[in-house]
Amino acid sequence: MSNKPKIAVFGSGSWATAIVKMLCENMETVGWYIRSEQSLEYIQENKHNPNYLTSVEFHIDQLKLSNDINEMIDYADYLIFVIPSAFVHQELAKITTSFEGKILFSAIKGIIPESGLIVGEHFHDILKVPFENIGVITGPCHAEEVALERLSYLTIACRDENKAEIIGNSLASRYIKTKTSDDIIGTEYAAMLKNIYAIAAGIAHGLGYGDNFQSVLMSNSIREMKRFIKKVHKMKRNINNSAYLGDLLVTGYSTFSRNRMFGNMIGKGYTVKSAQFEMVMVAEGYYATKSAFELNQKNGAKTPIIDTVYRILYEGKNPKKQFKKLTDLLD
Amino acid sequence: MSNKPKIAVFGSGSWATAIVKMLCENMETVGWYIRSEQSLEYIQENKHNPNYLTSVEFHIDQLKLSNDINEMIDYADYLIFVIPSAFVHQELAKITTSFEGKILFSAIKGIIPESGLIVGEHFHDILKVPFENIGVITGPCHAEEVALERLSYLTIACRDENKAEIIGNSLASRYIKTKTSDDIIGTEYAAMLKNIYAIAAGIAHGLGYGDNFQSVLMSNSIREMKRFIKKVHKMKRNINNSAYLGDLLVTGYSTFSRNRMFGNMIGKGYTVKSAQFEMVMVAEGYYATKSAFELNQKNGAKTPIIDTVYRILYEGKNPKKQFKKLTDLLD
């Protein structure tokens, strides 16, 4: 296995922890950058993450742990970023070493608030990484089910499909199946947009709409997602593939999704501020809504669901009235 | 309202009861054929169905009730059939009057076991009704949510879209939105196929597969449904419309669906016979599986999910092993 490229994961949330677990099924050594020294020491002593997927036990000698981001970048050939999008900017600011020749994968699923870009675009536009060296890891996949080793499917996207395959093979195991795609822009936008639709699903639920409406909302969401992505990056894609529709469904129908929960509180009458205050971490879809709405002002796709969520979250509009109007635009 | 056509509903299950309720929002008089004299008398006395949606109260003077199927056919211009598919044949056998000039709508969602045909085809091929006089009412719609007056969307399909519109307008109300379609074959096959996919979802759940897999299964199901229907009746349709994808989702994600429940028992280790014995009524998807599988032997669409369910239900194959194989065919 010594010919295998060196891979490192950056981040210590539940999804990062799940990806480290997957890699440990195949690799002799997995790099793992953890910002907090405390968390790092905890893992070294207790062999599991102190805060997420605590049931997942690691072989410490298989992990190359560090809280020095530059050291970890220098170590690895493939860098998998799994930092919440709201913290990516401040983490990247610490970097003094070079990305030259490095291959950057994003498993972040969100917009970087400071640039308003999806992570792949941010890597390309801001960090000047060529698209051939940028990839995306996408679900449908709840980290909690990886911890339970329940069968899950991942899509690994990269313009250079060889690189997608290398990461795919490193993640695949008896409970993980992977496929590759060359649609890095589309899969990453899908992963971001689904969080907006999950907020919409949550608002609908909070307002008392039922399962019949939910299915109509999801049916409209996938059509809207298709129109939105087509304007951003037109190419041949089947929007019903797992990376798009599957990812929408696993989030939209999940009662554990942070985005859906956030929407549910809004639907039940919380203000945006009070809903955010109640949640330990801001739902990714909150930022995604603003970026998607603004981007689409230029692109002009028909996106009644995104528009509705935007008006509720950013213009203080009444959720009940906005959804009443939305119901007339769906079919 | 006296210029409106006369409409009658045939059947007394939950979906029939829900449709009568919708019509009562718009019509002065709604015809309702109920086979059982006892049920009919109960409704006359107690103003609600004795067995289904018992919370829905009717104005008795708005209903034209009868347990004579011929009398009801003679009365109405539009006949809406909502009899479980397993009983359609024996009900139709009672008919001595003529269907001449009558417009037949099906809200049955299943295969007639005796002919192996969907209801629209059965009306056409066996009863010799022209396609212009045949229509389909399809969801996504749980009857229980109609009882609660939760917003639901219906698709009304007929080659003659004027007739679809007449039924659509008669069903629409503050909690029901309707749209029309000219795809009677596609919508009816979708309504039937979704029950097979709901059985598959149930089997997966019973076997212990999680939400990640479920979303992959649904993503593969809609692609399979598209391939299947395209072979049966090729026309321009958006498979992500509510009548296809929405209907799949509301059933596949419902824990109340009889088909999903049936599949769940199979996944948990019940034999087909014992699972059927436990259920008061046979799940529609059981017959649909056989018909769809056999029909597709001629058509040759790639349908790994239907094939898997068929082998489990009709060839006594082991669910665990069959699903293990299936997971390699999904992506």
Side-chain angles (χ1 to χ4, degrees):
Chain A
M1 289 212 267
S2 56
N3 279 335
K4 282 192 173 175
K6 291 179 193 145
I7 302 178
V9 173
F10 296 75
S12 60
S14 57
W15 189 219
T17 309
I19 290 178
V20 172
K21 175 178 161 64
M22 295 179 218
L23 293 170
C24 283
E25 302 284 353
N26 296 304
M27 317 271 298
E28 266 174 26
T29 308
V30 177
W32 193 0
Y33 163 74
I34 292 170
R35 186 184 45 163
S36 146
E37 197 174 339
Q38 213 180 345
S39 292
L40 192 149
E41 280 170 8
Y42 183 98
I43 292 173
Q44 264 165 336
E45 270 168 46
N46 300 282
K47 299 174 190 164
H48 66 84
N49 189 315
N51 305 310
Y52 301 99
L53 308 192
T54 52
S55 67
V56 174
E57 211 165 285
F58 294 100
H59 298 282
I60 292 305
D61 54 1
Q62 219 182 340
L63 300 177
K64 179 182 163 53
L65 293 159
S66 173
N67 67 342
D68 180 337
I69 195 168
N70 289 297
E71 182 194 352
M72 195 55 78
I73 291 169
D74 290 340
Y75 159 76
D77 308 308
Y78 283 76
L79 321 177
I80 301 178
F81 287 88
V82 208
I83 299 160
S85 59
F87 302 119
V88 169
H89 187 74
Q90 72 184 58
E91 282 299 316
L92 293 178
K94 295 180 189 167
I95 297 171
T96 52
T97 187
S98 162
F99 278 131
E100 186 76 41
K102 303 290 182 185
I103 298 141
L104 278 62
F105 271 78
S106 161
I108 292 176
K109 309 179 177 186
I111 283 282
I112 298 178
E114 290 81 358
S115 65
L117 299 171
I118 54 170
V119 182
E121 289 173 339
H122 188 94
F123 286 163
H124 180 263
D125 296 3
I126 312 291
L127 305 183
K128 307 297 175 200
V129 178
F131 270 125
E132 290 68 35
N133 285 349
I134 296 173
V136 172
I137 299 171
T138 187
C141 199
H142 289 305
E144 293 72 13
E145 293 201 344
V146 175
L148 296 168
E149 304 191 354
R150 287 203 174 139
L151 183 66
S152 306
Y153 291 65
L154 298 177
T155 295
I156 321 296
C158 185
R159 290 236 175 121
D160 180 344
E161 287 210 44
N162 284 332
K163 289 168 186 156
E165 210 156 301
I166 284 170
I167 290 295
N169 290 340
S170 306
L171 293 167
S173 65
R174 73 185 185 287
Y175 56 88
I176 301 289
K177 291 185 190 289
T178 60
K179 66 183 278 192
T180 62
S181 157
D182 60 350
D183 183 20
I184 52 166
I185 301 294
T187 51
E188 204 178 347
Y189 268 104
M192 161 212 165
L193 292 172
K194 65 142 199 269
N195 289 330
I196 308 175
Y197 300 124
I199 292 179
I203 296 176
H205 186 257
L207 287 169
Y209 289 90
D211 293 349
N212 291 351
F213 180 72
Q214 208 65 257
S215 68
V216 170
L217 184 63
M218 287 298 115
S219 147
N220 279 271
S221 295
I222 193 69
R223 286 178 271 155
E224 181 171 309
M225 183 191 280
K226 185 178 177 176
R227 292 192 299 267
F228 184 103
I229 298 178
K230 195 176 166 185
K231 290 276 184 186
V232 175
H233 183 59
K234 194 173 175 174
M235 67 177 275
K236 195 174 152 61
R237 64 172 67 85
N238 186 345
I239 202 75
N240 287 346
N241 281 349
S242 293
Y244 315 96
L245 177 62
D247 207 15
L248 171 68
L249 295 181
V250 84
T251 310
Y253 276 105
S254 165
T255 44
F256 301 105
S257 151
R258 213 161 41 230
N259 294 291
R260 199 176 186 283
M261 221 182 303
F262 175 65
N264 192 35
M265 291 166 93
I266 304 286
K268 284 204 185 304
Y270 283 65
T271 61
V272 174
K273 256 197 185 149
S274 59
Q276 285 180 330
F277 187 77
E278 290 280 327
M279 298 186 70
V280 181
M281 228 169 81
V282 172
E284 301 264 4
Y286 176 74
Y287 300 113
T289 302
K290 187 162 186 284
S291 302
F293 178 82
E294 286 171 358
L295 176 58
N296 196 53
Q297 293 310 299
K298 287 175 278 178
N299 291 343
K302 202 182 116 203
T303 55
I305 304 169
I306 293 172
D307 302 350
T308 299
V309 174
Y310 179 84
R311 283 194 291 267
I312 293 168
L313 297 188
Y314 289 94
E315 295 181 348
K317 293 284 169 66
N318 179 284
K320 195 175 168 184
K321 283 185 193 157
Q322 291 298 316
F323 262 69
K324 182 88 179 57
K325 279 186 198 167
L326 176 62
T327 61
D328 287 328
L329 303 174
L330 306 181
D331 67 3
Chain B
M1 291 214 267
S2 56
N3 279 335
K4 281 192 174 173
K6 290 180 192 144
I7 303 178
V9 173
F10 296 74
S12 61
S14 57
W15 190 219
T17 308
I19 290 178
V20 172
K21 174 178 160 66
M22 295 179 216
L23 292 170
C24 283
E25 301 284 353
N26 296 304
M27 317 272 300
E28 268 174 23
T29 307
V30 176
W32 194 359
Y33 164 74
I34 291 168
R35 185 184 45 162
S36 145
E37 198 174 339
Q38 214 181 343
S39 292
L40 192 150
E41 280 169 8
Y42 184 97
I43 292 174
Q44 266 166 335
E45 270 169 44
N46 301 281
K47 299 172 187 165
H48 67 84
N49 188 316
N51 304 312
Y52 301 99
L53 308 192
T54 52
S55 67
V56 174
E57 212 165 283
F58 294 101
H59 298 285
I60 292 306
D61 53 2
Q62 220 182 339
L63 301 177
K64 180 184 162 48
L65 292 159
S66 173
N67 68 342
D68 179 337
I69 195 167
N70 288 296
E71 183 195 352
M72 194 57 77
I73 291 170
D74 289 340
Y75 158 76
D77 308 308
Y78 283 77
L79 322 177
I80 301 178
F81 286 88
V82 207
I83 298 160
S85 61
F87 301 119
V88 168
H89 187 74
Q90 71 183 61
E91 283 299 315
L92 293 177
K94 295 181 190 168
I95 297 171
T96 53
T97 188
S98 162
F99 278 131
E100 185 78 40
K102 304 290 182 184
I103 298 141
L104 277 63
F105 271 79
S106 162
I108 291 176
K109 311 177 176 188
I111 284 281
I112 298 179
E114 290 82 359
S115 65
L117 298 172
I118 54 170
V119 183
E121 290 173 338
H122 188 94
F123 286 164
H124 179 262
D125 296 2
I126 312 291
L127 305 183
K128 306 299 175 199
V129 179
F131 269 125
E132 290 68 37
N133 285 348
I134 295 174
V136 172
I137 298 171
T138 185
C141 199
H142 288 305
E144 292 73 15
E145 293 201 343
V146 174
L148 295 168
E149 303 191 353
R150 286 203 174 140
L151 183 65
S152 305
Y153 292 65
L154 298 178
T155 295
I156 321 296
C158 185
R159 291 236 174 122
D160 179 346
E161 287 211 44
N162 284 330
K163 287 168 187 157
E165 211 156 300
I166 284 170
I167 289 296
N169 291 338
S170 306
L171 292 167
S173 65
R174 71 184 187 289
Y175 56 89
I176 300 290
K177 293 186 190 287
T178 59
K179 66 182 280 192
T180 62
S181 156
D182 59 352
D183 183 20
I184 53 166
I185 301 295
T187 52
E188 204 178 346
Y189 268 105
M192 162 212 164
L193 292 171
K194 66 144 198 268
N195 289 330
I196 307 175
Y197 300 124
I199 292 178
I203 296 175
H205 185 258
L207 286 170
Y209 289 91
D211 293 350
N212 291 350
F213 180 72
Q214 206 66 258
S215 68
V216 170
L217 184 62
M218 287 298 114
S219 147
N220 279 272
S221 295
I222 194 69
R223 286 177 272 154
E224 181 172 307
M225 182 191 280
K226 185 178 177 177
R227 292 191 297 267
F228 184 103
I229 297 178
K230 196 175 165 186
K231 291 276 185 186
V232 175
H233 182 58
K234 194 172 175 176
M235 67 177 276
K236 196 174 151 62
R237 65 172 65 87
N238 186 345
I239 202 77
N240 287 346
N241 281 349
S242 293
Y244 315 96
L245 177 63
D247 207 15
L248 172 68
L249 296 180
V250 84
T251 310
Y253 276 105
S254 165
T255 44
F256 302 105
S257 150
R258 212 161 42 231
N259 293 291
R260 198 176 188 284
M261 220 182 303
F262 175 65
N264 192 35
M265 291 165 93
I266 303 287
K268 285 203 185 306
Y270 284 64
T271 61
V272 175
K273 257 199 187 148
S274 58
Q276 285 179 330
F277 186 77
E278 291 279 327
M279 299 186 72
V280 181
M281 228 169 80
V282 172
E284 301 264 5
Y286 175 73
Y287 299 113
T289 301
K290 187 163 187 284
S291 301
F293 178 83
E294 286 171 358
L295 176 58
N296 196 53
Q297 293 308 299
K298 287 175 278 179
N299 291 342
K302 201 181 117 203
T303 56
I305 304 169
I306 292 171
D307 301 350
T308 299
V309 175
Y310 179 84
R311 283 194 289 268
I312 294 168
L313 297 188
Y314 289 93
E315 294 180 350
K317 294 283 170 65
N318 179 285
K320 195 176 169 184
K321 283 185 193 158
Q322 290 299 316
F323 261 71
K324 182 86 179 56
K325 279 186 198 167
L326 176 62
T327 63
D328 287 328
L329 303 174
L330 305 182
D331 67 2

